[in-house]
Amino acid sequence: MAPSAWPVPEIATLGDLAAFLDLHVGELEWLADRRGLERSVDSEQLRNYAYTWVPRRAGPPRVLERPKRLLKELQRRILHQILDVVPPHTEAQGFRRGHSVLTHARRHVGNRVVLRFDLEDFFASVHAGRVYGVFRTAGYPESVAHALTAFCTNVVPRDEWARVPAPADPRVTPAYHRLGRRLATPHLPLGAPTSPALANLRAFGLDRRLSALATSMGAAYSRYADDIALSGDAWLLEHAPGVRATIATVVQEEGFRLNERKSQLMTSAGRQRLCGVVVNKRPNVTRRDFDLLKAVLHDAARNGPTAANRAGVPDFRAHLLGRISWVGSLNPGRGAKLRRLFEQIDWDTA
């Protein structure tokens, strides 16, 4: 191993890696799939991932790649014993202990203007070469870095992508084809436990450059997963077109692409919202979201939770408690009102 700036475990050979993961060398070769056999194998039993897709209103369907049990356990070991000790940039607010949507939103409270950008296909945009670079930077020799990369990346089988419907909106068609090309090459799978940490580490250069850009303008910067935000005063509002162009260039140079349809400029004259949190004066929930949840709780208290659970949520009680806790973390007063309504529900009738 090369010297490492972080206390990662020493794994000098493929034999060491197999021992680290409690595998035989043959099992390591199969699960790592360095030859990309997942792309062409027909039998679902021989695949390391299960696939589903979820439609989206403003983009191509979201393709979920869920590793099967053994591979998922190995990825969790790589996550907790290797990746967790490699720190992302300080302004990365997602997928980190002690950081959240709320810490992301707080960076931008009370500013005159908020610029929000979305990174297209955040995980799928991180290809195997970039992941390999992360493991090499951590000190691992080439053979081990290649194997770790193969454990954490995937290629979607051709027949699985063929099942994903093309979008009806022609404006989304180019993004659909770009996603297909990304999924056809080794990339971070959406569903693997290692993907969020690796995406954060891959975005370190992006975070460093955009944070420095924001500092030079007297603005604030943070990123929550694929959601980028800059906020500042009247100067940022006046120069917003140029700032947008600069950000797009930096994003492209760092190997990502902006989803222009989701870019927003929000001034304090209207509602400024990041990841569902209103940031005009303090982190808060929108009035509409509060009213909708209050109406559901009224319905559950009056007509019973079964009647109120129109969406068929499996654990409706936990679902409501989670939403109430979220509101309470942003606005304790509103959270307390909702909690009182929740306590009026008779769960014996569920």
Side-chain angles (χ1 to χ4, degrees), residues 113-117 210 213 217 230 235-237 239-252 258-266:
V113 60
V114 177
L115 296 176
R116 177 190 173 274
F117 303 92
L210 293 184
L213 175 66
M217 300 183 298
L230 276 83
W235 186 96
L236 182 59
L237 178 60
H239 295 85
V243 173
R244 281 176 184 247
T246 300
I247 290 173
T249 298
V250 172
V251 166
Q252 184 176 14
L258 287 183
N259 184 345
E260 296 291 351
R261 298 183 68 187
K262 290 189 176 181
S263 297
Q264 290 179 284
L265 185 154
M266 300 169 284

PDB file of all heavy atoms in Angstrom, residues 113-117 210 213 217 230 235-237 239-252 258-266:
ATOM      1  N   VAL A 113     -30.942  36.436  -2.197  1.00  0.00           N
ATOM      2  CA  VAL A 113     -31.184  35.579  -3.357  1.00  0.00           C
ATOM      3  C   VAL A 113     -30.580  34.204  -3.105  1.00  0.00           C
ATOM      4  O   VAL A 113     -29.526  34.078  -2.474  1.00  0.00           O
ATOM      5  CB  VAL A 113     -30.589  36.209  -4.638  1.00  0.00           C
ATOM      6  CG1 VAL A 113     -29.085  36.406  -4.504  1.00  0.00           C
ATOM      7  CG2 VAL A 113     -30.897  35.365  -5.873  1.00  0.00           C
ATOM      8  N   VAL A 114     -31.279  33.182  -3.560  1.00  0.00           N
ATOM      9  CA  VAL A 114     -30.804  31.807  -3.486  1.00  0.00           C
ATOM     10  C   VAL A 114     -30.814  31.234  -4.901  1.00  0.00           C
ATOM     11  O   VAL A 114     -31.838  31.280  -5.591  1.00  0.00           O
ATOM     12  CB  VAL A 114     -31.684  30.939  -2.563  1.00  0.00           C
ATOM     13  CG1 VAL A 114     -31.191  29.487  -2.579  1.00  0.00           C
ATOM     14  CG2 VAL A 114     -31.691  31.484  -1.143  1.00  0.00           C
ATOM     15  N   LEU A 115     -29.672  30.713  -5.332  1.00  0.00           N
ATOM     16  CA  LEU A 115     -29.572  30.014  -6.611  1.00  0.00           C
ATOM     17  C   LEU A 115     -29.510  28.516  -6.322  1.00  0.00           C
ATOM     18  O   LEU A 115     -28.676  28.072  -5.533  1.00  0.00           O
ATOM     19  CB  LEU A 115     -28.318  30.438  -7.368  1.00  0.00           C
ATOM     20  CG  LEU A 115     -28.218  31.897  -7.814  1.00  0.00           C
ATOM     21  CD1 LEU A 115     -26.865  32.152  -8.463  1.00  0.00           C
ATOM     22  CD2 LEU A 115     -29.340  32.226  -8.777  1.00  0.00           C
ATOM     23  N   ARG A 116     -30.378  27.758  -6.972  1.00  0.00           N
ATOM     24  CA  ARG A 116     -30.420  26.310  -6.765  1.00  0.00           C
ATOM     25  C   ARG A 116     -30.176  25.601  -8.086  1.00  0.00           C
ATOM     26  O   ARG A 116     -30.712  26.000  -9.132  1.00  0.00           O
ATOM     27  CB  ARG A 116     -31.773  25.881  -6.214  1.00  0.00           C
ATOM     28  CG  ARG A 116     -31.913  24.380  -6.045  1.00  0.00           C
ATOM     29  CD  ARG A 116     -33.334  23.956  -5.725  1.00  0.00           C
ATOM     30  NE  ARG A 116     -33.467  22.506  -5.736  1.00  0.00           N
ATOM     31  CZ  ARG A 116     -33.708  21.775  -6.823  1.00  0.00           C
ATOM     32  NH1 ARG A 116     -33.865  22.378  -7.990  1.00  0.00           N
ATOM     33  NH2 ARG A 116     -33.800  20.467  -6.746  1.00  0.00           N
ATOM     34  N   PHE A 117     -29.334  24.565  -8.043  1.00  0.00           N
ATOM     35  CA  PHE A 117     -29.015  23.782  -9.234  1.00  0.00           C
ATOM     36  C   PHE A 117     -29.126  22.302  -8.901  1.00  0.00           C
ATOM     37  O   PHE A 117     -28.912  21.891  -7.760  1.00  0.00           O
ATOM     38  CB  PHE A 117     -27.596  24.086  -9.724  1.00  0.00           C
ATOM     39  CG  PHE A 117     -27.353  25.539 -10.015  1.00  0.00           C
ATOM     40  CD1 PHE A 117     -26.851  26.373  -9.026  1.00  0.00           C
ATOM     41  CD2 PHE A 117     -27.626  26.076 -11.259  1.00  0.00           C
ATOM     42  CE1 PHE A 117     -26.629  27.718  -9.273  1.00  0.00           C
ATOM     43  CE2 PHE A 117     -27.408  27.413 -11.517  1.00  0.00           C
ATOM     44  CZ  PHE A 117     -26.912  28.238 -10.531  1.00  0.00           C
ATOM     45  N   LEU A 210     -16.590  25.228  -6.075  1.00  0.00           N
ATOM     46  CA  LEU A 210     -17.777  26.062  -5.915  1.00  0.00           C
ATOM     47  C   LEU A 210     -17.782  26.770  -4.566  1.00  0.00           C
ATOM     48  O   LEU A 210     -18.277  27.895  -4.454  1.00  0.00           O
ATOM     49  CB  LEU A 210     -19.040  25.224  -6.086  1.00  0.00           C
ATOM     50  CG  LEU A 210     -19.277  24.669  -7.496  1.00  0.00           C
ATOM     51  CD1 LEU A 210     -20.613  23.947  -7.571  1.00  0.00           C
ATOM     52  CD2 LEU A 210     -19.217  25.781  -8.547  1.00  0.00           C
ATOM     53  N   LEU A 213     -15.550  29.686  -5.103  1.00  0.00           N
ATOM     54  CA  LEU A 213     -16.252  30.680  -5.917  1.00  0.00           C
ATOM     55  C   LEU A 213     -17.222  31.482  -5.054  1.00  0.00           C
ATOM     56  O   LEU A 213     -17.279  32.715  -5.137  1.00  0.00           O
ATOM     57  CB  LEU A 213     -17.015  29.984  -7.050  1.00  0.00           C
ATOM     58  CG  LEU A 213     -17.908  30.873  -7.924  1.00  0.00           C
ATOM     59  CD1 LEU A 213     -17.067  31.870  -8.716  1.00  0.00           C
ATOM     60  CD2 LEU A 213     -18.760  30.010  -8.869  1.00  0.00           C
ATOM     61  N   MET A 217     -17.278  35.714  -3.780  1.00  0.00           N
ATOM     62  CA  MET A 217     -18.408  36.615  -4.030  1.00  0.00           C
ATOM     63  C   MET A 217     -19.102  37.025  -2.745  1.00  0.00           C
ATOM     64  O   MET A 217     -20.135  37.682  -2.778  1.00  0.00           O
ATOM     65  CB  MET A 217     -19.428  35.926  -4.952  1.00  0.00           C
ATOM     66  CG  MET A 217     -18.878  35.522  -6.319  1.00  0.00           C
ATOM     67  SD  MET A 217     -20.145  34.798  -7.384  1.00  0.00           S
ATOM     68  CE  MET A 217     -20.608  33.352  -6.421  1.00  0.00           C
ATOM     69  N   LEU A 230     -26.302  28.199  -3.844  1.00  0.00           N
ATOM     70  CA  LEU A 230     -25.515  29.384  -3.516  1.00  0.00           C
ATOM     71  C   LEU A 230     -26.491  30.470  -3.113  1.00  0.00           C
ATOM     72  O   LEU A 230     -27.573  30.593  -3.692  1.00  0.00           O
ATOM     73  CB  LEU A 230     -24.680  29.874  -4.692  1.00  0.00           C
ATOM     74  CG  LEU A 230     -23.328  29.210  -4.940  1.00  0.00           C
ATOM     75  CD1 LEU A 230     -23.517  27.926  -5.726  1.00  0.00           C
ATOM     76  CD2 LEU A 230     -22.389  30.148  -5.674  1.00  0.00           C
ATOM     77  N   TRP A 235     -25.557  41.756  -4.895  1.00  0.00           N
ATOM     78  CA  TRP A 235     -24.527  41.555  -5.927  1.00  0.00           C
ATOM     79  C   TRP A 235     -24.759  40.241  -6.667  1.00  0.00           C
ATOM     80  O   TRP A 235     -24.643  40.169  -7.892  1.00  0.00           O
ATOM     81  CB  TRP A 235     -23.145  41.562  -5.284  1.00  0.00           C
ATOM     82  CG  TRP A 235     -22.019  41.504  -6.282  1.00  0.00           C
ATOM     83  CD1 TRP A 235     -21.317  42.551  -6.785  1.00  0.00           C
ATOM     84  CD2 TRP A 235     -21.491  40.320  -6.908  1.00  0.00           C
ATOM     85  NE1 TRP A 235     -20.379  42.107  -7.692  1.00  0.00           N
ATOM     86  CE2 TRP A 235     -20.465  40.735  -7.785  1.00  0.00           C
ATOM     87  CE3 TRP A 235     -21.773  38.963  -6.816  1.00  0.00           C
ATOM     88  CZ2 TRP A 235     -19.728  39.855  -8.565  1.00  0.00           C
ATOM     89  CZ3 TRP A 235     -21.047  38.068  -7.607  1.00  0.00           C
ATOM     90  CH2 TRP A 235     -20.041  38.513  -8.464  1.00  0.00           C
ATOM     91  N   LEU A 236     -25.081  39.176  -5.923  1.00  0.00           N
ATOM     92  CA  LEU A 236     -25.316  37.883  -6.545  1.00  0.00           C
ATOM     93  C   LEU A 236     -26.535  37.933  -7.459  1.00  0.00           C
ATOM     94  O   LEU A 236     -26.533  37.337  -8.541  1.00  0.00           O
ATOM     95  CB  LEU A 236     -25.509  36.814  -5.468  1.00  0.00           C
ATOM     96  CG  LEU A 236     -25.715  35.380  -5.961  1.00  0.00           C
ATOM     97  CD1 LEU A 236     -24.528  34.912  -6.786  1.00  0.00           C
ATOM     98  CD2 LEU A 236     -25.948  34.429  -4.781  1.00  0.00           C
ATOM     99  N   LEU A 237     -27.563  38.650  -7.047  1.00  0.00           N
ATOM    100  CA  LEU A 237     -28.754  38.798  -7.879  1.00  0.00           C
ATOM    101  C   LEU A 237     -28.408  39.515  -9.189  1.00  0.00           C
ATOM    102  O   LEU A 237     -28.829  39.097 -10.269  1.00  0.00           O
ATOM    103  CB  LEU A 237     -29.826  39.575  -7.121  1.00  0.00           C
ATOM    104  CG  LEU A 237     -31.130  39.850  -7.868  1.00  0.00           C
ATOM    105  CD1 LEU A 237     -31.804  38.544  -8.270  1.00  0.00           C
ATOM    106  CD2 LEU A 237     -32.063  40.702  -7.007  1.00  0.00           C
ATOM    107  N   HIS A 239     -25.535  39.687 -10.720  1.00  0.00           N
ATOM    108  CA  HIS A 239     -24.605  38.940 -11.561  1.00  0.00           C
ATOM    109  C   HIS A 239     -25.023  37.480 -11.741  1.00  0.00           C
ATOM    110  O   HIS A 239     -24.207  36.647 -12.157  1.00  0.00           O
ATOM    111  CB  HIS A 239     -23.200  38.997 -10.958  1.00  0.00           C
ATOM    112  CG  HIS A 239     -22.613  40.372 -10.941  1.00  0.00           C
ATOM    113  ND1 HIS A 239     -22.852  41.279  -9.922  1.00  0.00           N
ATOM    114  CD2 HIS A 239     -21.800  41.004 -11.829  1.00  0.00           C
ATOM    115  CE1 HIS A 239     -22.195  42.401 -10.165  1.00  0.00           C
ATOM    116  NE2 HIS A 239     -21.557  42.267 -11.317  1.00  0.00           N
ATOM    117  N   ALA A 240     -26.268  37.167 -11.467  1.00  0.00           N
ATOM    118  CA  ALA A 240     -26.737  35.780 -11.506  1.00  0.00           C
ATOM    119  C   ALA A 240     -26.492  35.083 -12.843  1.00  0.00           C
ATOM    120  O   ALA A 240     -26.045  33.924 -12.858  1.00  0.00           O
ATOM    121  CB  ALA A 240     -28.212  35.714 -11.126  1.00  0.00           C
ATOM    122  N   PRO A 241     -26.743  35.728 -14.002  1.00  0.00           N
ATOM    123  CA  PRO A 241     -26.500  35.022 -15.276  1.00  0.00           C
ATOM    124  C   PRO A 241     -25.045  34.581 -15.438  1.00  0.00           C
ATOM    125  O   PRO A 241     -24.779  33.456 -15.867  1.00  0.00           O
ATOM    126  CB  PRO A 241     -26.907  36.053 -16.330  1.00  0.00           C
ATOM    127  CG  PRO A 241     -27.900  36.934 -15.640  1.00  0.00           C
ATOM    128  CD  PRO A 241     -27.408  37.041 -14.234  1.00  0.00           C
ATOM    129  N   GLY A 242     -24.113  35.458 -15.097  1.00  0.00           N
ATOM    130  CA  GLY A 242     -22.710  35.090 -15.202  1.00  0.00           C
ATOM    131  C   GLY A 242     -22.321  34.005 -14.217  1.00  0.00           C
ATOM    132  O   GLY A 242     -21.521  33.106 -14.538  1.00  0.00           O
ATOM    133  N   VAL A 243     -22.884  34.071 -13.008  1.00  0.00           N
ATOM    134  CA  VAL A 243     -22.598  33.045 -12.002  1.00  0.00           C
ATOM    135  C   VAL A 243     -23.127  31.691 -12.466  1.00  0.00           C
ATOM    136  O   VAL A 243     -22.454  30.657 -12.331  1.00  0.00           O
ATOM    137  CB  VAL A 243     -23.207  33.434 -10.643  1.00  0.00           C
ATOM    138  CG1 VAL A 243     -23.076  32.298  -9.639  1.00  0.00           C
ATOM    139  CG2 VAL A 243     -22.549  34.699 -10.109  1.00  0.00           C
ATOM    140  N   ARG A 244     -24.316  31.687 -13.031  1.00  0.00           N
ATOM    141  CA  ARG A 244     -24.889  30.440 -13.561  1.00  0.00           C
ATOM    142  C   ARG A 244     -23.965  29.818 -14.599  1.00  0.00           C
ATOM    143  O   ARG A 244     -23.712  28.610 -14.593  1.00  0.00           O
ATOM    144  CB  ARG A 244     -26.250  30.718 -14.212  1.00  0.00           C
ATOM    145  CG  ARG A 244     -27.424  30.882 -13.269  1.00  0.00           C
ATOM    146  CD  ARG A 244     -28.645  31.248 -14.101  1.00  0.00           C
ATOM    147  NE  ARG A 244     -29.817  31.516 -13.302  1.00  0.00           N
ATOM    148  CZ  ARG A 244     -30.909  30.754 -13.285  1.00  0.00           C
ATOM    149  NH1 ARG A 244     -30.924  29.644 -13.983  1.00  0.00           N
ATOM    150  NH2 ARG A 244     -31.952  31.086 -12.559  1.00  0.00           N
ATOM    151  N   ALA A 245     -23.475  30.659 -15.518  1.00  0.00           N
ATOM    152  CA  ALA A 245     -22.599  30.160 -16.582  1.00  0.00           C
ATOM    153  C   ALA A 245     -21.308  29.596 -16.010  1.00  0.00           C
ATOM    154  O   ALA A 245     -20.812  28.547 -16.452  1.00  0.00           O
ATOM    155  CB  ALA A 245     -22.300  31.278 -17.578  1.00  0.00           C
ATOM    156  N   THR A 246     -20.750  30.271 -15.014  1.00  0.00           N
ATOM    157  CA  THR A 246     -19.517  29.788 -14.389  1.00  0.00           C
ATOM    158  C   THR A 246     -19.747  28.458 -13.690  1.00  0.00           C
ATOM    159  O   THR A 246     -18.933  27.524 -13.797  1.00  0.00           O
ATOM    160  CB  THR A 246     -18.992  30.830 -13.382  1.00  0.00           C
ATOM    161  OG1 THR A 246     -18.732  32.054 -14.063  1.00  0.00           O
ATOM    162  CG2 THR A 246     -17.718  30.338 -12.711  1.00  0.00           C
ATOM    163  N   ILE A 247     -20.863  28.347 -12.979  1.00  0.00           N
ATOM    164  CA  ILE A 247     -21.174  27.097 -12.275  1.00  0.00           C
ATOM    165  C   ILE A 247     -21.349  25.954 -13.272  1.00  0.00           C
ATOM    166  O   ILE A 247     -20.845  24.837 -13.061  1.00  0.00           O
ATOM    167  CB  ILE A 247     -22.427  27.273 -11.405  1.00  0.00           C
ATOM    168  CG1 ILE A 247     -22.108  28.184 -10.214  1.00  0.00           C
ATOM    169  CG2 ILE A 247     -22.949  25.918 -10.925  1.00  0.00           C
ATOM    170  CD1 ILE A 247     -23.304  28.548  -9.382  1.00  0.00           C
ATOM    171  N   ALA A 248     -22.045  26.216 -14.377  1.00  0.00           N
ATOM    172  CA  ALA A 248     -22.238  25.174 -15.391  1.00  0.00           C
ATOM    173  C   ALA A 248     -20.901  24.693 -15.938  1.00  0.00           C
ATOM    174  O   ALA A 248     -20.699  23.487 -16.167  1.00  0.00           O
ATOM    175  CB  ALA A 248     -23.120  25.709 -16.516  1.00  0.00           C
ATOM    176  N   THR A 249     -19.965  25.609 -16.137  1.00  0.00           N
ATOM    177  CA  THR A 249     -18.644  25.241 -16.643  1.00  0.00           C
ATOM    178  C   THR A 249     -17.891  24.381 -15.633  1.00  0.00           C
ATOM    179  O   THR A 249     -17.305  23.353 -15.981  1.00  0.00           O
ATOM    180  CB  THR A 249     -17.825  26.513 -16.964  1.00  0.00           C
ATOM    181  OG1 THR A 249     -18.499  27.254 -17.980  1.00  0.00           O
ATOM    182  CG2 THR A 249     -16.427  26.147 -17.448  1.00  0.00           C
ATOM    183  N   VAL A 250     -17.906  24.807 -14.368  1.00  0.00           N
ATOM    184  CA  VAL A 250     -17.218  24.036 -13.320  1.00  0.00           C
ATOM    185  C   VAL A 250     -17.826  22.642 -13.191  1.00  0.00           C
ATOM    186  O   VAL A 250     -17.099  21.636 -13.097  1.00  0.00           O
ATOM    187  CB  VAL A 250     -17.278  24.785 -11.973  1.00  0.00           C
ATOM    188  CG1 VAL A 250     -16.746  23.908 -10.836  1.00  0.00           C
ATOM    189  CG2 VAL A 250     -16.503  26.089 -12.042  1.00  0.00           C
ATOM    190  N   VAL A 251     -19.133  22.570 -13.203  1.00  0.00           N
ATOM    191  CA  VAL A 251     -19.815  21.278 -13.084  1.00  0.00           C
ATOM    192  C   VAL A 251     -19.402  20.351 -14.231  1.00  0.00           C
ATOM    193  O   VAL A 251     -19.101  19.167 -14.016  1.00  0.00           O
ATOM    194  CB  VAL A 251     -21.341  21.487 -13.059  1.00  0.00           C
ATOM    195  CG1 VAL A 251     -22.082  20.164 -13.278  1.00  0.00           C
ATOM    196  CG2 VAL A 251     -21.780  22.103 -11.734  1.00  0.00           C
ATOM    197  N   GLN A 252     -19.368  20.878 -15.441  1.00  0.00           N
ATOM    198  CA  GLN A 252     -18.983  20.063 -16.590  1.00  0.00           C
ATOM    199  C   GLN A 252     -17.528  19.621 -16.494  1.00  0.00           C
ATOM    200  O   GLN A 252     -17.199  18.454 -16.767  1.00  0.00           O
ATOM    201  CB  GLN A 252     -19.192  20.847 -17.879  1.00  0.00           C
ATOM    202  CG  GLN A 252     -18.907  20.046 -19.137  1.00  0.00           C
ATOM    203  CD  GLN A 252     -19.223  20.809 -20.401  1.00  0.00           C
ATOM    204  OE1 GLN A 252     -19.420  22.025 -20.377  1.00  0.00           O
ATOM    205  NE2 GLN A 252     -19.290  20.121 -21.520  1.00  0.00           N
ATOM    206  N   LEU A 258     -25.435  19.788 -15.322  1.00  0.00           N
ATOM    207  CA  LEU A 258     -26.581  20.434 -14.685  1.00  0.00           C
ATOM    208  C   LEU A 258     -27.875  20.016 -15.353  1.00  0.00           C
ATOM    209  O   LEU A 258     -27.939  19.879 -16.581  1.00  0.00           O
ATOM    210  CB  LEU A 258     -26.456  21.955 -14.754  1.00  0.00           C
ATOM    211  CG  LEU A 258     -25.425  22.632 -13.858  1.00  0.00           C
ATOM    212  CD1 LEU A 258     -25.525  24.155 -14.026  1.00  0.00           C
ATOM    213  CD2 LEU A 258     -25.613  22.267 -12.399  1.00  0.00           C
ATOM    214  N   ASN A 259     -28.898  19.815 -14.547  1.00  0.00           N
ATOM    215  CA  ASN A 259     -30.253  19.627 -15.058  1.00  0.00           C
ATOM    216  C   ASN A 259     -30.878  21.015 -15.155  1.00  0.00           C
ATOM    217  O   ASN A 259     -31.389  21.549 -14.168  1.00  0.00           O
ATOM    218  CB  ASN A 259     -31.051  18.719 -14.118  1.00  0.00           C
ATOM    219  CG  ASN A 259     -32.430  18.401 -14.639  1.00  0.00           C
ATOM    220  OD1 ASN A 259     -32.939  19.046 -15.554  1.00  0.00           O
ATOM    221  ND2 ASN A 259     -33.050  17.393 -14.054  1.00  0.00           N
ATOM    222  N   GLU A 260     -30.797  21.612 -16.323  1.00  0.00           N
ATOM    223  CA  GLU A 260     -31.219  23.007 -16.478  1.00  0.00           C
ATOM    224  C   GLU A 260     -32.690  23.212 -16.156  1.00  0.00           C
ATOM    225  O   GLU A 260     -33.099  24.296 -15.721  1.00  0.00           O
ATOM    226  CB  GLU A 260     -30.921  23.491 -17.908  1.00  0.00           C
ATOM    227  CG  GLU A 260     -29.446  23.526 -18.260  1.00  0.00           C
ATOM    228  CD  GLU A 260     -28.696  24.610 -17.497  1.00  0.00           C
ATOM    229  OE1 GLU A 260     -29.353  25.434 -16.832  1.00  0.00           O
ATOM    230  OE2 GLU A 260     -27.454  24.616 -17.568  1.00  0.00           O
ATOM    231  N   ARG A 261     -33.509  22.183 -16.316  1.00  0.00           N
ATOM    232  CA  ARG A 261     -34.945  22.336 -16.066  1.00  0.00           C
ATOM    233  C   ARG A 261     -35.239  22.520 -14.588  1.00  0.00           C
ATOM    234  O   ARG A 261     -36.321  22.975 -14.220  1.00  0.00           O
ATOM    235  CB  ARG A 261     -35.699  21.123 -16.607  1.00  0.00           C
ATOM    236  CG  ARG A 261     -35.569  20.927 -18.115  1.00  0.00           C
ATOM    237  CD  ARG A 261     -36.380  19.765 -18.598  1.00  0.00           C
ATOM    238  NE  ARG A 261     -37.809  20.038 -18.479  1.00  0.00           N
ATOM    239  CZ  ARG A 261     -38.752  19.130 -18.711  1.00  0.00           C
ATOM    240  NH1 ARG A 261     -38.421  17.899 -19.013  1.00  0.00           N
ATOM    241  NH2 ARG A 261     -40.024  19.446 -18.597  1.00  0.00           N
ATOM    242  N   LYS A 262     -34.283  22.155 -13.723  1.00  0.00           N
ATOM    243  CA  LYS A 262     -34.497  22.292 -12.287  1.00  0.00           C
ATOM    244  C   LYS A 262     -33.730  23.462 -11.678  1.00  0.00           C
ATOM    245  O   LYS A 262     -33.743  23.629 -10.458  1.00  0.00           O
ATOM    246  CB  LYS A 262     -34.107  20.992 -11.574  1.00  0.00           C
ATOM    247  CG  LYS A 262     -35.067  19.838 -11.849  1.00  0.00           C
ATOM    248  CD  LYS A 262     -34.750  18.653 -10.952  1.00  0.00           C
ATOM    249  CE  LYS A 262     -35.755  17.529 -11.137  1.00  0.00           C
ATOM    250  NZ  LYS A 262     -35.470  16.379 -10.240  1.00  0.00           N
ATOM    251  N   SER A 263     -33.038  24.244 -12.481  1.00  0.00           N
ATOM    252  CA  SER A 263     -32.329  25.409 -11.952  1.00  0.00           C
ATOM    253  C   SER A 263     -33.335  26.483 -11.556  1.00  0.00           C
ATOM    254  O   SER A 263     -34.325  26.709 -12.250  1.00  0.00           O
ATOM    255  CB  SER A 263     -31.353  25.963 -12.996  1.00  0.00           C
ATOM    256  OG  SER A 263     -30.363  25.017 -13.303  1.00  0.00           O
ATOM    257  N   GLN A 264     -33.069  27.148 -10.435  1.00  0.00           N
ATOM    258  CA  GLN A 264     -33.989  28.173  -9.933  1.00  0.00           C
ATOM    259  C   GLN A 264     -33.227  29.364  -9.379  1.00  0.00           C
ATOM    260  O   GLN A 264     -32.144  29.211  -8.810  1.00  0.00           O
ATOM    261  CB  GLN A 264     -34.858  27.608  -8.810  1.00  0.00           C
ATOM    262  CG  GLN A 264     -35.886  26.588  -9.227  1.00  0.00           C
ATOM    263  CD  GLN A 264     -36.667  26.090  -8.022  1.00  0.00           C
ATOM    264  OE1 GLN A 264     -36.172  25.298  -7.240  1.00  0.00           O
ATOM    265  NE2 GLN A 264     -37.883  26.568  -7.859  1.00  0.00           N
ATOM    266  N   LEU A 265     -33.803  30.551  -9.556  1.00  0.00           N
ATOM    267  CA  LEU A 265     -33.356  31.755  -8.880  1.00  0.00           C
ATOM    268  C   LEU A 265     -34.510  32.212  -8.001  1.00  0.00           C
ATOM    269  O   LEU A 265     -35.608  32.505  -8.501  1.00  0.00           O
ATOM    270  CB  LEU A 265     -32.968  32.843  -9.882  1.00  0.00           C
ATOM    271  CG  LEU A 265     -32.358  34.118  -9.308  1.00  0.00           C
ATOM    272  CD1 LEU A 265     -31.459  34.790 -10.354  1.00  0.00           C
ATOM    273  CD2 LEU A 265     -33.412  35.124  -8.837  1.00  0.00           C
ATOM    274  N   MET A 266     -34.290  32.292  -6.690  1.00  0.00           N
ATOM    275  CA  MET A 266     -35.342  32.625  -5.741  1.00  0.00           C
ATOM    276  C   MET A 266     -34.919  33.833  -4.918  1.00  0.00           C
ATOM    277  O   MET A 266     -33.855  33.820  -4.287  1.00  0.00           O
ATOM    278  CB  MET A 266     -35.619  31.433  -4.816  1.00  0.00           C
ATOM    279  CG  MET A 266     -36.061  30.177  -5.545  1.00  0.00           C
ATOM    280  SD  MET A 266     -36.088  28.675  -4.483  1.00  0.00           S
ATOM    281  CE  MET A 266     -34.323  28.315  -4.399  1.00  0.00           C
TER     282      MET A 266
END
